[in-house]
Amino acid sequence: MLKLNDISKTFNPGTVNEKTAIDHLTLELKDGDFATIVGSNGAGKSTMFNAIAGTFIVDQGNIYLDGEDITFKKEHVRSKYIGHLFQDPLKGTAPTMTIEENMALAFLRASESKGKMFSRISARDKALFRERLARLGMGLEDRMKQPVGLLSGGQRQALTLLMATLVTPKLLLLDEHTAALDPATAEKVLDLTKDVVKDRGITCLMVTHNMHQALSVGNRTLMMNGGHIVFDTQGEERAKLTVADLLDKFKEGVGEELDNDRVLLS
Amino acid sequence: MNIFTVSIFQSALELGLIYALVALALFISFTILNIADLTTDGCFTLGCAVGAMVTLAGHPFIALFAAMISGAMAGFVTAFLQTRLGVESILAGIIVNTGLYTVNIAVMGFSSLTNLFGCDTIFRLVEDRVSEALAGWDKVALLLIIIAVVAVALWWFLGTTLGMSIRATGDNADMVKSSSINPTFTITVGLCLANALTGLSGALIAQYQKSADINIGTGMVTIALASLIIGQSLIGNKGSTARRILGTILGSVLYRFIVAIALRLSVPAEALKLVSALIVAIAIAAPYAKKKFALKKREIANYRTSGKEEGNA
């Protein structure tokens, strides 16, 4: 499904700020894999996501999605198949545009909307958006004409998730997408995430700083440090792991304690 | 002295409607795309020059379209510089604006002034037919129709998929990329469209004033910005697209009224640029100054009450 083949990325090469954010990273995800990712600050988690999403082109190595080499594909081309959610709930939606307009833009990723540059939002699209919004259970289906800027952070993140999955992506990248939300909303958005990923069998990568989540959500856990993956567990081995084991594994693999200022052990 | 005669009101309205097209152009580039497009000055002159030359050749209607196409081409060059060649957006506009001076003077046959006296203009064609019926308001009627067509077309376009993509580009570029929209494309379309409107405005002015002058566009971006800001403060910049388009047009007309009053109060014509600059500076600074003032007021009030409490204690 997704294959990262020995990719590397160095920022500001040749300066005092030189930083190798990804260092010979290799990873293969199977179709339908839902992997959680934990790691210290600066381990390269977000950078790996940005490399996959195409925010920058990697210095070396190749990225394959569904057998296709996307290493040099532009970001907006990749986004047809890859959904990307960030920690900042403001990043995924256009604030002065209405809910339905935002969804219409997300819906552009559907192949059937090709060649419809000069069409306005159709009644059929509206019905689809309304139905999907209703599933969030946040009452947004009755506020489709309101600008997104009026929504709360949690509502905006739920909307962003809905938009990213409105057209089923091949790969969903979740970069601590619940971390900026209050606990109740975070749980709600995480539940929505789990449901949609399971329903549609989306291959998914999720960065989290919640160690419990890292083991309970999805079917695979990856641990990153120094720009590559230091620990990768799934199946029975993962089922038996406790949070304490996970931290031990990190110490074993890296030689130091997991250093993440926001890490949650519960 | 009667400050506002009907004829002053009428000509201010006419000019306001013509310049409203430039204000709408800046509504697209400045408000929607969040780009300060300084191509405007040169592009306005380009539209004026192209419009004048085609009118001179006897095609006043084709002149309008020719001016729009030339304007769109200028916009395309600016967009190309900033999206494909990494030139900073403001600099891209300045570069194209500078280059356009030569282009404009070449269009006018290397003369800095072209007269259209005796030529058929769209205003004259309409005047010949309906002037009596409309009691001299024929130009206003014609311009109202043109502006209405442009405004409705713009409103419709901004609601289409492409139009929404352009709006989102200025609103949240990150979101645009993740919706598989190419921002290079949307910025290019937006700037072409904006400058086409500027070019159209230039061609209308050429026919309206029966002349094209190489310096006619100087300061146009400031004037249009003033109109845009006046419109936004009238109607608010948060409302629906239709409301904002209407506000921009109203702003342009109101700006021309302000200028007419200034002229009427014997402000010399040479001083108008300074007056325009002051309007823009004040209009842009006003919301900021208002916030500062409110803060200062709170600060003083706070100082007074806390001073009292201390005194009580």
Side-chain angles (χ1 to χ4, degrees):
Chain A
M1 179 63 209
L2 174 74
K3 198 169 149 196
L4 307 177
N5 191 9
D6 196 29
I7 61 168
S8 295
K9 176 69 188 181
T10 303
F11 290 110
N12 308 311
T15 71
V16 285
N17 292 324
E18 182 171 303
K19 158 98 178 135
T20 302
I22 303 184
D23 190 10
H24 298 283
L25 185 151
T26 297
L27 169 69
E28 195 166 348
L29 283 186
K30 284 196 288 292
D31 222 343
D33 263 353
F34 185 171
T36 56
I37 303 173
V38 290
S40 319
N41 294 330
K45 301 172 301 245
S46 295
T47 315
M48 177 173 84
F49 275 15
N50 289 338
I52 298 170
T55 312
F56 55 79
I57 306 289
V58 291
D59 296 336
Q60 73 154 71
N62 290 77
I63 302 171
Y64 302 91
L65 184 67
D66 229 4
E68 186 192 359
D69 187 343
I70 59 165
T71 315
F72 290 98
K73 284 266 196 307
K74 290 208 180 82
E75 188 174 9
H76 69 269
V77 179
R78 295 188 205 189
S79 64
K80 214 166 161 55
Y81 316 105
I82 301 175
H84 195 175
L85 265 71
F86 303 89
Q87 184 180 342
D88 182 356
L90 307 186
K91 254 188 156 175
T93 43
T96 68
M97 297 173 70
T98 64
I99 294 180
E100 67 178 16
E101 285 172 336
N102 270 277
M103 292 193 73
L105 289 178
F107 198 50
L108 277 178
R109 288 167 42 235
S111 55
E112 62 171 306
S113 60
K114 261 224 167 120
K116 279 195 181 168
M117 249 198 245
F118 294 105
S119 64
R120 300 166 69 87
I121 307 172
S122 71
R124 219 183 88 210
D125 291 350
K126 275 185 198 171
L128 173 75
F129 300 161
R130 172 177 284 274
E131 183 244 325
R132 293 292 177 86
L133 282 167
R135 280 196 222 164
L136 293 180
M138 291 177 163
L140 295 183
E141 65 277 13
D142 298 322
R143 302 173 62 184
M144 283 171 62
K145 295 270 184 210
Q146 286 185 17
V148 167
L150 296 179
L151 305 187
S152 71
Q155 288 170 330
R156 276 181 83 162
Q157 197 67 313
L159 179 63
T160 309
L161 177 68
L162 194 64
M163 284 163 59
T165 54
L166 187 59
V167 178
T168 308
K170 288 182 178 171
L171 178 68
L172 186 58
L173 303 172
L174 306 169
D175 194 350
E176 300 201 40
H177 69 306
T178 62
L181 310 177
D182 66 81
T185 318
E187 203 179 316
K188 167 117 195 166
V189 172
L190 185 66
D191 285 342
L192 288 168
T193 310
K194 285 193 270 192
D195 287 348
V196 71
V197 168
K198 196 175 160 219
D199 283 355
R200 317 252 201 100
I202 302 169
T203 311
C204 182
L205 281 169
M206 180 174 91
V207 171
T208 177
H209 58 256
N210 182 324
M211 291 296 133
H212 175 71
Q213 250 178 39
L215 289 174
S216 62
V217 179
N219 67 334
R220 189 171 168 185
T221 300
L222 305 169
M223 198 174 256
M224 282 186 76
N225 191 65
H228 46 250
I229 288 156
V230 291
F231 181 60
D232 178 354
T233 179
Q234 55 188 316
E236 255 179 68
E237 182 195 23
R238 182 180 190 254
K240 281 187 222 146
L241 277 182
T242 62
V243 170
D245 294 336
L246 196 61
L247 293 173
D248 282 345
K249 287 282 180 195
F250 186 88
K251 207 171 168 187
E252 212 173 278
V254 181
E256 53 188 273
E257 300 275 347
L258 180 68
D259 166 33
N260 185 321
D261 49 18
R262 288 172 311 168
V263 71
L264 292 173
L265 301 173
S266 59
Chain B
M1 185 176 76
N2 186 3
I3 287 190
F4 233 57
T5 65
V6 173
S7 77
I8 289 176
F9 174 80
Q10 191 178 353
S11 63
L13 183 59
E14 286 160 4
L15 283 174
L17 289 172
I18 296 178
Y19 287 118
L21 291 167
V22 191
L24 285 175
L26 283 197
F27 171 67
I28 298 171
S29 59
F30 188 74
T31 309
I32 292 183
L33 276 174
N34 208 6
I35 290 172
D37 179 18
L38 297 185
T39 324
T40 308
D41 286 11
C43 182
F44 185 81
T45 314
L46 177 68
C48 196
V50 169
M53 295 319 278
V54 181
T55 306
L56 211 53
H59 303 290
F61 282 102
I62 296 176
L64 302 183
F65 293 101
M68 285 180 83
I69 291 167
S70 62
M73 280 159 69
F76 179 81
V77 176
T78 306
F80 189 83
L81 285 174
Q82 58 181 281
T83 56
R84 309 254 177 201
L85 300 176
V87 180
E88 187 120 16
S89 67
I90 289 186
L91 193 56
I94 293 174
I95 291 171
V96 173
N97 192 28
T98 306
L100 276 177
Y101 183 88
T102 310
V103 174
N104 293 342
I105 212 158
V107 167
M108 295 200 287
F110 291 96
S111 128
S112 58
L113 188 74
T114 300
N115 278 314
L116 296 179
F117 292 114
C119 281
D120 270 348
T121 66
I122 56 164
F123 298 108
R124 197 161 144 185
L125 292 176
V126 172
E127 191 183 356
D128 289 348
R129 284 167 181 78
V130 296
S131 184
E132 268 175 48
L134 292 173
W137 289 82
D138 49 285
K139 282 183 188 162
V140 173
L142 175 63
L143 287 168
L144 272 176
I145 292 170
I146 294 176
I147 296 295
V149 168
V150 170
V152 170
L154 183 61
W155 167 80
W156 178 84
F157 174 74
L158 289 175
T160 63
T161 309
L162 180 57
M164 284 192 289
S165 307
I166 292 172
R167 282 160 58 205
T169 305
D171 211 13
N172 186 349
D174 290 323
M175 177 261 187
V176 163
K177 283 184 210 152
S178 60
S179 303
S180 79
I181 301 162
N182 184 357
T184 300
F185 176 68
T186 51
I187 288 174
T188 306
V189 173
L191 287 184
C192 285
L193 182 64
N195 284 290
L197 292 183
T198 305
L200 175 61
S201 180
L204 285 173
I205 275 293
Q207 297 196 17
Y208 181 83
Q209 300 186 337
K210 301 195 188 69
S211 70
D213 170 358
I214 190 69
N215 291 318
I216 197 160
T218 312
M220 193 52 64
V221 70
T222 314
I223 291 168
L225 214 47
S227 311
L228 185 66
I229 293 162
I230 292 171
Q232 277 183 359
S233 48
L234 273 182
I235 253 167
N237 61 352
K238 283 278 187 292
S240 70
T241 309
R243 224 175 114 106
R244 292 160 84 190
I245 289 175
L246 207 65
T248 306
I249 297 169
L250 277 180
S252 173
V253 172
L254 200 64
Y255 175 85
R256 286 294 145 187
F257 285 164
I258 296 171
V259 169
I261 291 170
L263 284 174
R264 189 73 182 151
L265 295 173
S266 309
V267 175
E270 294 79 20
L272 274 186
K273 288 261 152 76
L274 183 60
V275 173
S276 307
L278 280 174
I279 291 175
V280 172
I282 292 169
I284 294 187
Y288 181 80
K290 220 162 117 188
K291 238 195 293 181
K292 278 268 175 194
F293 182 71
L295 197 67
K296 202 80 199 164
K297 230 166 90 180
R298 265 183 57 203
E299 193 185 329
I300 291 168
N302 176 55
Y303 182 74
R304 278 192 187 140
T305 50
S306 67
K308 259 184 216 154
E309 268 165 30
E310 239 169 76
N312 288 343

